[in-house]
Amino acid sequence: MNKYVVMVSLAALLTACGEKVEQAAAPAEAPKAAVQAQQAAPTAEAAAPAVDKAALAEEAKAAVQALGGTLKGELEAAMKAGGPVDAMGICHTKAPEIAKAVSAEKGMEVSRVSLKNRNPVMGQANEWQTAVLNDFETKKAAGEDPATLAYAEVVDNEFRFMKAIPTAAVCLKCHGTELSPAVSAKLTELYPNDKATGYQEGDLRGAFVVVKNLTQ
Ligand code: HEC
């Protein structure tokens, strides 16, 4: 379905280009050609002809690194200062704030999602994200290194990027199978519908998501 849309749009784009070349051979017609090109624009819009997917992917990776790096720094500092229970409280308030700040700074919406989410709103994967997460799981099961799994696509005038987040040993204190009673109690208090436990090192914890609206 998506491929079909891209193909149709591409055809429109190619037609538009072909028109331009033809008109360029007759200089007197140039202004008319410009008008025609403008009129053709709304039809060709879906193709977002100027999209440089590779450049956007680089931008998205930088945004992911900014979010991931900041979260990691905050988490480590909080764990050192007060252990996992305090760190949980800090994650609870700071993680969404950090995601917002990085999104504003990078001009792209950056977040984290999971098939088994803890944050009931922001952590919940939508349909498209669920499909990509399932694909990551399949690839991981086939032997691919989860640290290298990423996917980018342009859908509905949006550039979308996802990068898998593997579970490290340090994550198990709050996402593992054997949580301390204090951590469990804090989780029940802050996230009564938490699904994000039971992980083992190397499992896919979720993914970073980056979205950029291409019509703005
Ligand atoms: C101190 C406890 C703690 C540790 C350690 C921890 N997390 Fe979390 N994690 C949380 C909390 C709390 C949230 C929910 C934050 C929110 O409300 O946005 C969360 C949310 C997430 C999310 C967002 C998706 C979701 O489930 O809502 C991902 C992805 C994630 N953690 C990955 C990791 C990874 C990877 C590590 C190890 C590098 C890790 N976490 C270590 C407490 C922790």
Side-chain angles (χ1 to χ4, degrees), residues 94-161:
K94 282 227 174 153
E97 281 173 20
I98 293 170
K100 247 193 212 165
V102 172
S103 301
E105 187 198 317
K106 299 285 178 189
M108 296 177 130
E109 216 179 285
V110 198
S111 60
R112 298 180 303 167
V113 295
S114 175
L115 293 172
K116 297 200 303 161
N117 54 305
R118 176 157 294 170
N119 184 305
V121 184
M122 291 175 75
Q124 171 99 51
N126 67 22
E127 204 181 325
W128 186 88
Q129 293 156 359
T130 300
V132 176
L133 284 168
N134 282 328
D135 182 55
F136 285 170
E137 290 286 3
T138 307
K139 290 192 167 126
K140 181 183 166 284
E144 283 191 47
D145 178 1
T148 63
L149 294 173
Y151 182 72
E153 193 180 338
V154 175
V155 194
D156 297 338
N157 276 322
E158 265 181 9
F159 170 76
R160 299 177 185 174
F161 176 83

Side-chain angles (χ1 to χ4, degrees), residues 1-2 27 67 84 101 119 125 163 177-178 195 210:
M1 179 68 181
N2 289 333
L67 178 59
N119 184 305
K163 183 164 191 339
T177 42
E178 285 159 36
K195 293 182 230 143
V210 182

